[in-house]
Amino acid sequence: MHFLTEKIEFPDVYEASADGLIAIGGDLSPQRLLHAYSKGIFPWFQDEEPILWWSPDPRFVLFPEDLKVSKSMKQVLRKGNFKVTENKAFKAVIENCALAKRTDQDGTWISDDMIQAYYKLHQLGFAKSIEVWQNEELVGGLYGIAINDDVFCGESMFAKVSNASKFGFITFIQNSNFKLIDCQLHTKHLESLGAKNISRAEFLKFL
């Protein structure tokens, strides 16, 4: 296993373990995070763990042209009960994502250090948030990293009311020009929206 030093560099992604773990340690500086994402690597770890860096194979992604919108969701979109904005409340979105309860997951991987690190990326123009509002209340949202004009790396989403995060995600996809949405790891929720596995090698071609 590769242990990172102060030098901002990562081993070749093809040196990753079978489950995608490629390196341990380092920091969450904007420079290291941006370098990692440009190489197809992202951090994911619990509070009590050192920083763990991953590049899974296969990679779970969504091509916008494959987006699936159910009949019931189309009705929700037509009703327009939600308002969607971009980059209006990044800190609130990531904090709500940290508080959201996940199935089969104790606690959260979005620590205070992660919140501060991604907020810095937001201030630098690399991390963006999508907010979903209902009656002027923030009820859902998502955030992620725009690597380039082609790839958006989705990090997390939350919903306080039914369909809020899905409404924001679909609206974001339908109104963006990204060629690929990186979902990182498989979830049934995103699979229902059209996400699928592709090889790491295919994913890296978009970076």
Side-chain angles (χ1 to χ4, degrees):
M1 180 51 58
H2 189 90
F3 289 88
L4 301 181
T5 66
E6 293 183 358
K7 188 175 182 180
I8 298 177
E9 63 179 7
F10 289 91
D12 190 292
V13 292
Y14 294 101
E15 296 180 23
S17 65
D19 59 359
L21 182 62
I22 188 168
I24 297 174
D27 54 44
L28 296 173
S29 67
Q31 295 83 359
R32 191 183 297 273
L33 283 169
L34 291 174
H35 182 63
Y37 278 95
S38 73
K39 301 293 185 182
I41 300 168
F42 60 88
W44 185 38
F45 60 100
Q46 301 295 323
D47 248 347
E48 67 277 8
E49 298 176 327
I51 301 175
L52 305 177
W53 301 89
W54 305 81
S55 180
D57 187 17
R59 191 83 167 214
F60 200 56
V61 305
L62 174 68
F63 292 97
E65 62 269 23
D66 292 338
L67 179 66
K68 296 178 182 178
V69 183
S70 66
K71 289 183 180 179
S72 61
M73 197 62 214
K74 287 179 180 178
Q75 292 178 340
V76 173
L77 291 166
R78 280 196 296 268
K79 287 180 181 178
N81 292 333
F82 298 111
K83 176 185 176 182
V84 178
T85 59
E86 182 176 313
N87 290 332
K88 296 298 183 182
F90 182 91
K91 198 77 173 287
V93 167
I94 192 171
E95 288 174 346
N96 274 280
C97 287
L99 294 172
K101 294 187 181 301
R102 315 287 178 184
T103 303
D104 300 325
Q105 181 177 318
D106 295 326
T108 179
W109 57 273
I110 306 175
S111 64
D112 289 341
D113 287 344
M114 291 285 279
I115 290 173
Q116 293 303 318
Y118 283 81
Y119 186 58
K120 287 180 182 178
L121 287 181
H122 171 66
Q123 292 176 311
L124 293 170
F126 294 101
K128 66 168 56 185
S129 61
I130 302 298
E131 303 88 16
V132 183
W133 309 85
Q134 188 175 59
N135 300 324
E136 305 304 316
E137 179 186 356
L138 182 65
V139 295
L142 61 102
Y143 76 96
I145 309 295
I147 294 300
N148 51 39
D149 293 335
D150 293 337
V151 179
F152 180 78
C153 296
E155 286 296 314
S156 187
M157 61 176 69
F158 81 97
K160 292 184 176 180
V161 300
S162 180
N163 292 319
S165 62
K166 190 179 290 186
F167 189 100
F169 184 74
I170 292 172
T171 302
F172 167 62
I173 299 300
Q174 292 178 335
N175 290 280
S176 71
N177 295 315
F178 291 108
K179 295 180 180 178
L180 181 71
I181 308 300
D182 176 26
C183 306
Q184 299 178 346
L185 301 170
H186 174 271
T187 69
K188 291 182 179 180
H189 172 63
L190 290 173
E191 183 180 24
S192 71
L193 291 169
K196 63 183 180 182
N197 281 323
I198 63 172
S199 69
R200 180 197 286 131
E202 185 177 355
F203 171 73
L204 293 175
K205 292 177 182 178
F206 289 88
L207 301 180

